[in-house]
Amino acid sequence: MNDTPLIQDLVSAYREWHTAILVFGVVLCALLAGLIVRAVVERLARRVDEVRHVWAHGLLTSASAPAQSLVWIVGLASAVHVLLETREGAGDSVLAQVLGPARDVAIIGAVMWFLLRVAARVQDNMVARARHRGQELDPMATDAVGKLARASIVITAILMMMQTLGFSIAGLLAFGGVGGIAIGFAAQSLVANLLGGLTIFASRPFKVGEYIIIPGTDLMGGVEHIGWRATRLIGFDCKPFYVPNAMFNTQPVINHTRMTSRRIMEDIHIRYADIDAVPGIVADVRAMLGTHPGVKHDFFAFNFNSCGTFSLKLFLYAFTVDTDYNAYLNVQEDVLLKIAAIIRGHGAELTGPASTVDVPQWRAHAQDPDPSGPMGRLAPPPPLSA
C-alpha cells in the first residue's frame, strides 16, 4: 500500500493550516497549564495550616486563581504573537503595537489581584491565630494596616500600568501638584473625611465594639465599622447611622465604654420637723457607703445640702465599682433603699415638694349650701335680711 499521497496531503494541509494549528495548540496548552497550576497550588494550600503558617497559607490560598489567570494571559499573548509572525506585514499593525502594553498591563493587574488577596488572607489568618492563642487583636489596628497595605498596592499598580502605557510619571506628579489644589477645593468634605479617618486610626479615641457619645448632638451608639469616609454606629433602637469622619476632627467624643465607674447623684428630701435627726442620718449613711461592696470607697459624699422651700435636702454623690449598666442600677437601688431605711430608723420621713390649694368660700358654699355640711361649716352664714 502506497502512503505517499496521504503523507503529501497531510503536509499540504499542515502548510495551509499550520498557523491555526499552532495558535490552537498554544491556547490549549495555556488552558491546560492554567488548570494544572491552580490544582497544584490549591492542593499545597490544603496541606498548610492557617494558624501555624500564616504567611505560607495566605500566599498559597491567594495564588490559585491569579496564577491561573497569569498563565492564560501569557498563553493568549503568545498565541496572538504566533498569529502575527506568520502573517506578512502584521508586525506593523495596530494589534502588534498594542499587544505588548496590553499584555504587561494584564500581568500587572493579575499581580495586583494576587497581592490584594494575600493582604486580606494574611489579615484573617493573623486574627485567627490570635484567637487560637487566647489573644485578641485590636480590630481597629488590623483593619487600618490592611487598608493601608491595599491602598499602597493599588496605587503602585496603577502607576506601573500608566508607565507601561507610556505616560510620564514625573509629568503626572507635576500635574497632580497643580491639579490637586483645584481638586482639594472641589472635594473639601471628602478630604476632611479622609483626614478624620486617618486621625481615628492614628489616635484611636474609640474602636469597633465601643459605645460613644458626641456631646451637643443626638448622636450616640455602638461603633460597628470605621471606614475612610464615615463611621457606622448602631443606636439603642438597633438602627444604624453613619457619622462623617470629619466631625471627629472638631467635635469632642465621649467614650462611654472606657469609663472606670458609674456615678450615683441624687437629692434626698426629708421633713423640716426632722432637722434634729439629720446629723445621725448623715453619719449612718456615710458608714453604710464606706462598707457597701458596690460603691467605691476612695471618694463618696453624703451631706446636708440646703434648706429647700418645702423640705430639707440631703445630697448623695458616689461611684459604683462595676461599669455594667444592670449592675449599676442594682447598686443604686440598694443604696437608695438602705438610705430610706436609715431615715426611717431615725424616726424621720421622706418628703417631696408640697403645694397649697386655695378654695374660695363662695364656691364652697355654693357646692354645699347646707350649713351643717362639711363645706357649709367653712362658709360664712348668709346675710340677714333687713
Side-chain angles (χ1 to χ4, degrees), residues 30 66 68-78 102-107 109-110:
Q68 183 183 16
S69 301
L70 189 61
V71 173
W72 287 355
I73 291 171
V74 174
L76 293 176
S78 301
R103 177 196 58 204
D104 295 341
V105 168
I107 291 175

Side-chain angles (χ1 to χ4, degrees), residues 116-356:
L116 290 176
R117 287 166 59 95
V118 170
R121 180 63 67 178
V122 169
Q123 179 180 346
D124 295 339
N125 290 349
M126 294 181 68
V127 174
R129 184 175 66 177
R131 292 178 179 175
H132 179 74
R133 295 178 177 179
Q135 302 173 353
E136 188 66 28
L137 292 179
D138 186 358
M140 184 174 174
T142 56
D143 186 58
V145 173
K147 286 181 178 179
L148 290 175
R150 289 190 289 271
S152 302
I153 292 170
V154 172
I155 293 174
T156 304
I158 291 175
L159 293 177
M160 293 178 64
M161 289 180 182
M162 297 181 70
Q163 187 174 7
T164 301
L165 295 176
F167 293 95
S168 175
I169 302 301
L172 289 174
L173 294 177
F175 174 77
V178 177
I181 300 176
I183 296 175
F185 281 110
Q188 290 183 8
S189 61
L190 178 61
V191 174
N193 290 328
L194 291 176
L195 293 177
L198 291 175
T199 302
I200 295 173
F201 287 126
S203 60
R204 293 193 293 180
F206 55 83
K207 62 182 181 179
V208 175
E210 293 183 338
Y211 191 91
I212 64 173
I213 301 173
I214 303 178
T217 67
D218 295 331
L219 301 177
M220 62 180 68
V223 181
E224 280 197 330
H225 176 72
I226 303 173
W228 289 112
R229 190 195 67 83
T231 297
R232 185 173 70 244
L233 305 179
I234 187 74
F236 278 122
D237 54 359
C238 297
K239 294 180 180 178
F241 56 95
Y242 299 83
V243 181
N245 290 333
M247 180 176 291
F248 300 113
N249 288 332
T250 57
Q251 293 283 348
V253 177
I254 298 176
N255 194 323
H256 200 266
T257 305
R258 297 182 186 179
M259 68 169 64
T260 57
S261 58
R262 289 182 180 269
R263 183 181 64 179
I264 302 175
M265 186 171 64
E266 295 289 341
D267 290 328
I268 300 172
H269 300 266
I270 62 175
R271 301 175 305 176
Y272 263 96
D274 302 323
I275 185 64
D276 295 333
V278 168
I281 293 174
V282 171
D284 289 348
V285 172
R286 288 177 180 176
M288 182 271 295
L289 293 175
T291 58
H292 197 287
V295 176
K296 282 192 171 182
H297 300 154
D298 54 351
F299 175 78
F300 59 85
F302 187 79
N303 295 84
F304 173 39
N305 191 26
S306 63
C307 297
T309 305
F310 306 104
S311 61
L312 304 175
K313 187 170 70 172
L314 307 176
F315 180 63
L316 168 65
Y317 194 87
F319 293 94
T320 61
V321 175
D322 202 334
T323 59
D324 181 73
Y325 189 65
N326 289 327
Y328 157 73
L329 292 178
N330 293 332
V331 172
Q332 180 178 246
E333 177 185 7
D334 185 62
V335 168
L336 293 177
L337 290 176
K338 288 183 177 180
I339 292 176
I342 292 173
I343 292 174
R344 289 195 303 270
H346 284 268
E349 292 184 8
L350 294 169
T351 186
S355 59
T356 58

